[in-house]
Amino acid sequence: MHDGQSSGQGMAEVVQTEFKSIGGEVVAFQAITPGESDYSAALADIASKSPQAIFFGGYTSEGVVIVNQMKQSGLEGVIFFGDDGTFGQDFLDRTGANGEGAYSTSLIPPASDAKAKFDAAYLAAYGQPAGKLSPYSWTAYDAAAVLIKNIESVAVLSGGKLYIPRAALVAAVRGTKDYQGLSGTITCDATGECSASGPVFNIDQGGKWVEAPK
């Protein structure tokens, strides 16, 4: 399932392709409309195909509705597996017991002095630990840092005004290589996809996210 947005649908398409490549069978590929409070019709349609698990590409708001309606839609016992958009305390709070056994990914960086300093500064600024309000606390910081670094490299000062050539900035970001960020060493490809450390797989156990066994 996916929310029809570029990120959520894109991840669902990747999961579909990779799952098929290792011999898995995809019995449905279902889009939902973001912001709605009832996905029971879509879930019932999927239930008729007897899946063993549902991967959802999207965010907490829709993921919560899906999880809370799975049992009544004939999907009791089916595993819910969300992407990093569903990771966080909000998902746990809003799904309660329904979320037990659900999976989600996260991109929490490994421990480092830089991460410790960031976490302390974030807590001081917002009164909440990094990662609670959004699963993207660290990666968003890295994304902004990469963008600022490349802006500095392509910006042109002319006539007292600062110009940032758009095409040059796009090329610079896509050419980023071995940038050391909070989330690891960041390298971007020709489409602008940037990666560092791989995702961590988590499972909801007793209302807490814990790293899933490998």
Side-chain angles (χ1 to χ4, degrees):
M1 298 182 74
H2 61 87
D3 61 4
Q5 306 301 304
S6 58
S7 176
Q9 182 172 342
M11 278 189 272
E13 289 172 347
V14 169
V15 169
Q16 177 179 232
T17 299
E18 293 299 320
F19 189 58
K20 286 180 177 178
S21 74
I22 59 173
E25 180 186 1
V26 178
V27 298
F29 192 77
Q30 180 80 43
I32 59 170
T33 302
E36 296 188 349
S37 60
D38 185 3
Y39 297 124
S40 57
L43 290 169
D45 181 55
I46 291 173
S48 69
K49 299 174 175 62
S50 302
Q52 294 178 306
I54 291 177
F55 174 82
F56 174 63
Y59 296 96
T60 294
S61 296
E62 292 72 34
V64 164
V65 176
I66 290 170
V67 169
N68 286 335
Q69 293 180 346
M70 285 176 64
K71 186 183 295 184
Q72 69 194 51
S73 301
L75 292 164
E76 185 173 6
V78 174
I79 297 170
F80 175 86
F81 181 11
D83 60 21
D84 56 352
T86 63
F87 180 78
Q89 187 63 40
D90 192 32
F91 179 92
L92 301 175
D93 292 342
R94 294 167 63 186
T95 58
N98 291 330
E100 182 73 16
Y103 288 82
S104 181
T105 59
S106 64
L107 293 171
I108 301 175
S112 67
D113 289 343
K115 179 179 179 296
K117 290 178 181 178
F118 174 86
D119 289 351
Y122 190 101
L123 180 62
Y126 302 108
Q128 299 281 359
K132 183 175 182 179
L133 298 176
S134 166
Y136 304 112
S137 301
W138 304 278
T139 50
Y141 179 86
D142 280 349
V146 168
L147 189 60
I148 291 170
K149 172 182 178 294
N150 285 293
I151 286 174
E152 291 174 342
S153 72
V154 302
V156 177
L157 185 63
S158 177
K161 295 183 179 181
L162 186 67
Y163 295 91
I164 302 170
R166 188 173 300 177
L169 179 59
V170 169
V173 169
R174 293 180 177 181
T176 298
K177 183 176 175 59
D178 297 336
Y179 177 84
Q180 189 60 49
L182 291 175
S183 52
T185 303
I186 299 169
T187 296
C188 303
D189 64 18
T191 64
E193 187 71 27
C194 304
S195 62
S197 57
V200 175
F201 293 87
N202 309 279
I203 185 171
D204 178 354
Q205 289 186 345
K208 295 182 179 180
W209 288 119
V210 298
E211 187 170 347
K214 298 180 179 178

